[in-house]
Amino acid sequence: KVYLTLLAVGKASEPFVQEGCSAYEEKIRRYTDLAVILVREEKIAAQGKREYILRAEGRRIREKLPAEGLRVALDEKGRLWNSSSFALFLKKELESGRKHLTFIVGGPYGLEEALRKEVSFGLALSPMTLTHGMARMILLEQIYRAFTLMRGEPYHK
């Protein structure tokens, strides 16, 4: 059995995004175990602190990462799949014998470059820029959609 983990920086600030994330988390848990781990977003207002923020958030992410398994980071330069291709990927991973599949969502500044190089690969949800809260909600929706596709359920139609 593969354990899915969503490791994300910060909380979604908009109530509708929080509600959407919660709704999809609940739906996914009908199919598999899902751990959602939030790490604290670095709050520094000073200009020029981007690299410091990314390093601090990267350190917090590493502290929470499962020791083994596939790690996929949301990355605007990552692989861009349609829903069916993502479902095929997820199905393959669920049947792979790996213990963990972790999705990583960075904060407002994204992910530290060193951390991007440590993951298995990057996944782009859209060529457009999304808030980190929206990206988390869309990723959860796509994971749920993948499970319905795998099972031939009508959600996708």
Side-chain angles (χ1 to χ4, degrees), residues 6-9 61 72-74 103-107 110-111 132-133 135-136 139:
L6 173 60
L7 210 158
V9 174
I61 290 168
V72 179
L74 291 194
F103 292 96
I104 304 167
V105 182
L111 290 173
H132 59 289
R136 188 164 83 221
L139 174 62

Side-chain angles (χ1 to χ4, degrees), residues 71-75 102-105 111 115-116 119 121-124:
R71 297 169 177 177
V72 179
L74 291 194
D75 183 347
T102 303
F103 292 96
I104 304 167
V105 182
L111 290 173
L115 182 59
R116 285 170 148 186
V119 301
F121 66 90
L123 175 66

Side-chain angles (χ1 to χ4, degrees), residues 5-8 35-40 57-68 71 100 102 104:
T5 300
L6 173 60
L7 210 158
V36 177
I37 302 169
L38 302 179
V39 298
R40 184 173 56 85
E57 291 173 352
R59 188 174 53 251
R60 289 185 196 117
I61 290 168
R62 285 183 191 88
E63 290 170 0
K64 302 290 184 181
L65 274 172
E68 52 190 59
R71 297 169 177 177
H100 294 279
T102 303
I104 304 167

Side-chain angles (χ1 to χ4, degrees), residues 54-124:
L54 291 174
R55 273 194 311 276
E57 291 173 352
R59 188 174 53 251
R60 289 185 196 117
I61 290 168
R62 285 183 191 88
E63 290 170 0
K64 302 290 184 181
L65 274 172
E68 52 190 59
L70 192 73
R71 297 169 177 177
V72 179
L74 291 194
D75 183 347
E76 63 188 12
K77 298 174 188 155
R79 297 176 186 177
L80 187 58
W81 286 330
N82 62 28
S83 297
S84 297
S85 296
F86 181 69
L88 289 172
F89 157 75
L90 192 56
K91 182 179 190 317
K92 180 180 158 200
E93 284 307 309
L94 294 171
E95 296 169 350
S96 71
R98 281 189 230 270
K99 293 190 183 234
H100 294 279
L101 172 56
T102 303
F103 292 96
I104 304 167
V105 182
Y109 293 107
L111 290 173
E112 174 190 27
E113 189 60 35
L115 182 59
R116 285 170 148 186
K117 292 177 180 174
E118 294 169 24
V119 301
S120 305
F121 66 90
L123 175 66

Side-chain angles (χ1 to χ4, degrees), residues 33-50:
D33 293 322
L34 172 69
V36 177
I37 302 169
L38 302 179
V39 298
R40 184 173 56 85
E41 182 180 327
E42 191 65 34
K43 298 282 189 186
I44 294 186
Q47 292 291 339
K49 299 290 186 180
R50 184 175 195 271

